[in-house]
Amino acid sequence: MIYFIYSGKTLNNMKNKVLLLSTFLCGILSAQINVPEVTKALYNKKTASWCGPCGTWGTETNDEIEDLVGDKMVSFKLTASSSGSLYSPICEELYDNYINLGDQSWPNFYVNAERYYQSNGGLTSNCSNAVIGYYNGVGADVNAGFTAEVVSNTLFVDVSTKFFNAMEGTYMTAVYILENNISYNQTGIEGTATGDHIMRASIAGETAFGDVVATDTIEAGTIVNETYGIWLDDNWDMDELHVITVIWKDNGDSTYSFVNANDGLPEPLDVNELSLSSEVQVYPNPVMDRVHISFEKEMNATVSIFNVTGEKIAPVQRSMASKSLSIDMSDFSTGLYWVEILDDNNNKWVRKIVKE
């Protein structure tokens, strides 16, 4: 599995910040990204495939909670057990830094990173009431909107974080890739179980809590735009993947407080069929010195090359009404690279290439 991340930020109306503008990303980031002024809760069931109660009363409780308040919260399963078949190191990192872990039993249920207990009317009502109490359908201090597109087996996510009100502190936007309808063996359930909202990847920032988008004093109206990419694992079902964003506040003591989340009412990922066609050819592959890009017809296109960490390592090259373009890679280190072509209509082609 290969991950690459690249991001560019445009910040406006933020004190003590320098405007960071990536010319390349200006063509990708959409000014039309909708950032919903809605506050949703974050809900997690801490679960493991070996846990009998997770499969019995844990599953029943989870289904009851989701049925009651599903549209008022964003959820993913907190599969934090390294011995479970759906284990995610991302979930383990999140869990280790939640502000109220409670006891270490399984399952556990969390709303906004705080554990809720079986008491005073039951776990279902406690969790659902916490979600309903936090939800605000017409107001938010900050939220993130996004668009997602699959191009040549690469998922690109354009994210726009907007601060509707003035805020203080350090805020992070996380972008998580989840998968539904995963079949697995669950203790407590006969036959094969089906897992939804299973964590597959975190693609923003260096920690599971995402990328810092603003800090210190943040003015109302501040907007931060970012773009991230990830090469999709062949074992993932593309038709079952979806994206969520979560806003966290860094408390400065290795804990993070939940602020807001957005699932965009999950829909299948947009697959750019044009990019999967033969309209663009990148060759030879592997390449020794020069890589050639040819187009089926004359077009204006911008070509960029990235390494696997997302760093752009070649100057942007522009093809003006041409059918071909070549880039000298003779001085590049041996390894894997990404060639990205963007035309004037914002169609994107991404090709993996190996430098020998």
Side-chain angles (χ1 to χ4, degrees):
M1 186 188 311
I2 297 172
Y3 296 85
F4 74 95
I5 297 173
Y6 62 88
S7 68
K9 301 181 181 181
T10 305
L11 297 89
N12 62 314
N13 298 329
M14 183 181 297
K15 293 181 179 178
N16 304 318
K17 286 289 183 179
V18 177
L19 180 66
L20 304 176
L21 180 61
S22 167
T23 303
F24 167 65
L25 290 172
C26 285
I28 299 176
L29 294 170
S30 171
Q32 304 302 317
I33 293 178
N34 175 52
V35 183
E37 197 169 352
V38 173
T39 299
K40 288 189 175 184
L42 177 67
Y43 165 73
N44 304 124
K45 173 193 175 186
K46 189 184 82 166
T47 185
S49 59
W50 49 259
C51 165
C54 296
T56 54
W57 68 264
T59 295
E60 294 176 0
T61 300
N62 176 81
D63 292 346
E64 290 171 355
I65 294 170
E66 290 188 346
D67 288 343
L68 283 170
V69 290
D71 62 340
K72 294 178 173 60
M73 67 186 188
V74 176
S75 67
F76 59 85
K77 300 299 189 300
L78 202 61
T79 51
S81 170
S82 59
S83 58
S85 62
L86 298 178
Y87 166 68
S88 166
I90 299 160
C91 290
E92 185 176 25
E93 183 181 350
L94 291 169
Y95 174 70
D96 287 345
N97 291 279
Y98 273 12
I99 58 179
N100 178 14
L101 292 178
D103 64 54
Q104 301 300 302
S105 61
W106 301 71
N108 271 333
F109 294 81
Y110 293 85
V111 176
N112 301 344
E114 295 192 54
R115 183 176 184 249
Y116 279 74
Y117 296 84
Q118 179 81 30
S119 62
N120 299 326
L123 185 58
T124 298
S125 61
N126 288 342
C127 286
S128 59
N129 287 339
V131 170
I132 293 170
Y134 195 79
Y135 175 78
N136 185 342
V138 295
D141 290 326
V142 58
N143 205 359
F146 61 87
T147 61
E149 180 184 34
V150 175
V151 181
S152 300
N153 207 36
T154 302
L155 171 62
F156 290 96
V157 183
D158 294 340
V159 183
S160 184
T161 304
K162 181 173 183 179
F163 292 82
F164 297 99
N165 297 314
M167 302 180 73
E168 297 277 347
T170 297
Y171 292 87
M172 308 177 75
T173 298
V175 182
Y176 302 129
I177 312 302
L178 310 182
E179 184 173 352
N180 289 331
N181 202 29
I182 297 176
S183 297
Y184 69 105
N185 294 322
Q186 172 68 56
T187 301
I189 295 180
E190 293 185 6
T192 302
T194 300
D196 289 330
H197 314 303
I198 304 301
M199 181 70 71
R200 286 309 196 190
S202 173
I203 65 171
E206 297 181 356
T207 76
F209 290 90
D211 208 1
V212 174
V213 291
T215 189
D216 300 326
T217 299
I218 308 159
E219 294 185 0
T222 295
I223 298 174
V224 182
N225 291 322
E226 299 175 325
T227 295
Y228 301 98
I230 178 174
W231 183 256
L232 298 175
D233 191 296
D234 291 339
N235 294 319
W236 300 346
D237 185 344
M238 189 182 302
D239 293 333
E240 297 291 347
L241 295 179
H242 64 278
V243 177
I244 67 170
T245 56
V246 177
I247 309 293
W248 299 98
K249 183 178 182 181
D250 186 346
N251 298 322
D253 59 357
S254 298
T255 65
Y256 300 82
S257 297
F258 170 77
V259 181
N260 205 352
N262 181 27
D263 57 4
L265 297 176
E267 297 178 354
L269 296 177
D270 181 16
V271 179
N272 189 334
E273 297 294 344
L274 175 64
S275 69
L276 303 178
S277 72
S278 60
E279 292 197 12
V280 172
Q281 298 292 325
V282 178
Y283 62 92
N285 191 12
V287 59
M288 292 290 293
D289 43 33
R290 299 193 73 87
V291 61
H292 303 281
I293 299 97
S294 65
F295 312 116
E296 190 175 62
K297 59 185 178 181
E298 289 189 352
M299 68 168 66
N300 297 330
T302 301
V303 179
S304 303
I305 298 181
F306 297 84
N307 61 22
V308 294
T309 65
E311 178 186 4
K312 188 190 301 182
I313 44 79
V316 172
Q317 303 234 6
R318 183 75 174 169
S319 168
M320 300 297 292
S322 173
K323 294 184 68 174
S324 65
L325 182 69
S326 67
I327 298 175
D328 185 3
M329 296 184 65
S330 58
D331 293 333
F332 288 21
S333 300
T334 300
L336 179 66
Y337 295 88
W338 303 88
V339 179
E340 179 172 277
I341 302 99
L342 178 71
D343 72 11
D344 283 348
N345 295 319
N346 282 339
N347 292 313
K348 288 180 285 190
W349 295 264
V350 180
R351 297 292 185 266
K352 178 174 63 175
I353 193 167
V354 176
K355 171 63 169 63
E356 289 187 337

